[in-house]
Amino acid sequence: QVQLVESGGGLVQAGGSLKLSCAASGRHLNIAAMGWYRQAPGNQRELVAIISSRGSTNYADSVQGRFTISRDNAKSTTDLQMNSLKPEDTAVYYCNVQLPGVYGVNNYWGQGTQVTVSS
């Protein structure tokens, strides 16, 4: 069983910054990808950023150049540094980790943390 604990959400003015953190715990963690997703009211959950075990990253076009994802493999943690925040970044942000399973990749989710950007 994998547990994810997120922290760092909150309220910030447009143009400000926030940093989200996620820590994974469990037995025999062999984490492949770690990522952040977000879901705004009335919208589907969407990928924000993802980082592989080797450090390769991929970002949504809407956050490219403003957000930076990082991870610490030794600590099984991932951070999302969010700069130049916009009101449209307002959403619940979810941490995601992918672990290899018998039948493919298993996805695990955090509880979500609210990010609100005021104009």
Side-chain angles (χ1 to χ4, degrees):
Q1 188 71 18
V2 178
Q3 293 182 332
L4 303 177
V5 177
E6 301 159 350
S7 60
L11 173 64
V12 65
Q13 288 188 333
S17 298
L18 281 175
K19 183 177 181 180
L20 305 182
S21 297
C22 175
S25 62
R27 295 183 62 185
H28 309 300
L29 289 180
N30 180 25
I31 298 173
M34 304 184 80
W36 291 91
Y37 291 71
R38 67 187 181 187
Q39 187 168 18
N43 292 351
Q44 291 186 335
R45 190 173 297 187
E46 63 176 1
L47 174 67
V48 176
I50 191 167
I51 184 168
S52 72
S53 58
R54 297 186 178 184
S56 298
T57 58
N58 192 31
Y59 296 91
D61 289 343
S62 58
V63 307
Q64 183 75 45
R66 300 188 296 121
F67 291 11
T68 302
I69 189 171
S70 61
R71 67 184 283 175
D72 185 325
N73 290 332
K75 297 180 180 179
S76 298
T77 59
T78 180
D79 293 332
L80 183 68
Q81 178 65 47
M82 304 184 294
N83 298 328
S84 303
L85 283 161
K86 304 176 181 180
E88 50 263 43
D89 294 318
T90 296
V92 177
Y93 284 70
Y94 296 91
C95 176
N96 168 268
V97 299
Q98 297 179 358
L99 277 71
V102 175
Y103 302 106
V105 174
N106 293 325
N107 282 281
Y108 297 88
W109 297 92
Q111 78 281 3
T113 185
Q114 178 70 46
V115 171
T116 302
V117 184
S118 63
S119 57

